[in-house]
Amino acid sequence: MSVIAQARAGLGVLAFLGGMVGAIPAFAACEGVAPEQKLQNTSPQDIGRDLDRIATDGYIEFAVYDDYAPWSFENAGKAEGIDIEIGKIIAGALGVEPRFRLVSAGETLDADLRNYVYKGAVVNGRVSDVMLHVPYDVDYACRFDQVVFTGIYGEEHIAIAYDAASYPDKGPSPAVFRYDPIGVENDSISDFYMTDVTRGPSADKVHRYRNTALAMKALADHEVMAVMGPRAELEAALAPGIDIHEPPLGLPRSKWAIGVALSMQHRRLGYAVDDAIAAALEDGRIAKAFADYGVGFTPPTR
């Protein structure tokens, strides 16, 4: 499980977010951070393709998470979702065909970057040209010599969806879920957070589901009074009578930027990908991709 899939894989997110404090000056961003050891004796087929090779081959491959609606998922044999649309935008700018490799999230983001970006899995592993939906954080990026983090195209927010009739005056604060039932995705940061809030006699108020979509169905069916999770996943599963808000949570980070990752050996590709995303942010194509899946768009800081 991975940081990317916060709502479906909170172990990685908790470690990722828990290690982040306030912003630090850019000139000191990597001060005192020991980078990963650089790869040595790595065969060319293990490190992806450069921009020229992608143009010659006529396609670009994106690694995207499977079963991760509304970001990336399979529907009738086709990859769909916001991240899929982002990939199509990038491929269009490069003049090549987009191909999507739906991958499973590992236990940490480190593992996913190793498996899909710069080295490949131990057994029959290979990397993809670009990985989508990668959290961007300067301190985290400092740990990697092998990876370029670029192309910021959106934000993830932790939020609470709630039954509007149950809370007519204002959205509920986390403290009320010592008494009111709330749904979370199992083993997500929302699960860990609400478990801490309700620990002790109130622990039975936290109802755990396989994913956020199932938790939202339980909310629509009045099995719970609220659901905590990533705002995009809450919005994509909205039903009549449900509202969403973002109360103060006291987390080290309750929102973060998302972008792409690729091998450090292919910086020219990184520049081209970032240019394509910047143009699509400017002309509204990325905002439209979010809207097409019922998700509000917050322009990221780049």
Side-chain angles (χ1 to χ4, degrees):
M1 290 181 285
S2 161
V3 63
I4 314 301
Q6 182 285 136
R8 43 181 289 209
L11 292 174
V13 176
L14 191 64
F16 179 75
L17 297 181
M20 294 193 285
V21 290
I24 57 177
F27 68 84
C30 292
E31 186 175 342
V33 178
E36 300 277 321
Q37 183 172 344
K38 295 181 180 179
L39 296 175
Q40 297 190 20
N41 302 320
T42 304
S43 56
Q45 63 266 31
D46 290 337
I47 55 174
R49 301 176 302 152
D50 62 19
L51 184 59
D52 292 337
R53 176 67 182 276
I54 288 169
T56 299
D57 292 346
Y59 74 91
I60 182 171
E61 182 183 88
F62 299 95
V64 295
Y65 287 99
D66 61 2
D67 192 24
Y68 193 26
W71 298 104
S72 50
F73 56 97
E74 187 173 321
N75 181 27
K78 292 179 57 179
E80 296 185 3
I82 297 169
D83 288 338
I84 305 305
E85 298 306 313
I86 302 298
K88 291 177 181 177
I89 287 170
I90 294 168
L94 300 183
V96 296
E97 171 196 349
R99 296 184 182 179
F100 298 98
R101 176 187 178 192
L102 276 74
V103 301
S104 298
E107 292 202 0
T108 65
L109 178 58
D110 293 29
D112 291 342
L113 295 174
R114 180 182 64 248
N115 290 339
Y116 308 126
V117 174
Y118 71 85
K119 188 174 183 180
V122 174
V123 179
N124 298 323
R126 65 178 180 84
V127 300
S128 295
D129 300 312
V130 176
M131 186 167 191
L132 295 169
H133 210 95
V134 177
Y136 182 86
D137 177 75
V138 172
D139 295 338
Y140 183 80
C142 289
R143 295 173 45 198
F144 288 88
D145 289 328
Q146 310 97 323
V147 179
V148 173
F149 298 85
T150 187
I152 295 172
Y153 58 85
E155 289 185 351
E156 287 268 35
H157 295 236
I158 301 296
I160 294 178
Y162 60 95
D163 178 50
S166 298
Y167 306 99
D169 297 327
K170 63 178 182 178
S173 67
V176 307
F177 301 113
R178 294 189 180 99
Y179 315 101
D180 298 344
I182 184 170
V184 296
E185 179 173 342
N186 190 45
D187 282 342
S188 69
I189 190 173
S190 301
D191 183 0
F192 296 133
Y193 178 86
M194 291 311 307
T195 297
D196 184 63
V197 168
T198 63
R199 63 184 181 274
S202 302
D204 62 345
K205 298 302 180 183
V206 180
H207 295 231
R208 296 170 178 83
Y209 299 87
R210 183 172 58 83
N211 56 41
T212 303
L214 290 175
M216 287 294 286
K217 183 179 184 304
L219 175 57
D221 293 340
H222 304 288
E223 295 176 13
V224 294
M225 296 173 67
V227 172
M228 181 178 178
R231 185 170 189 123
E233 294 185 55
L234 302 179
E235 290 180 338
L238 273 182
I242 297 175
D243 288 340
I244 298 176
H245 77 142
E246 297 179 30
L249 298 172
L251 288 168
R253 182 78 61 89
S254 60
K255 63 181 180 179
W256 57 94
I258 53 174
V260 310
L262 62 151
S263 169
M264 182 69 78
Q265 299 189 31
H266 304 310
R267 277 191 171 275
R268 284 183 60 232
L269 174 60
Y271 298 143
V273 168
D274 189 65
D275 287 346
I277 288 172
L281 285 168
E282 181 69 24
D283 65 21
R285 283 176 289 158
I286 288 181
K288 182 180 183 302
F290 278 71
D292 286 346
Y293 285 89
V295 175
F297 177 67
T298 302
T301 300
R302 288 169 51 87

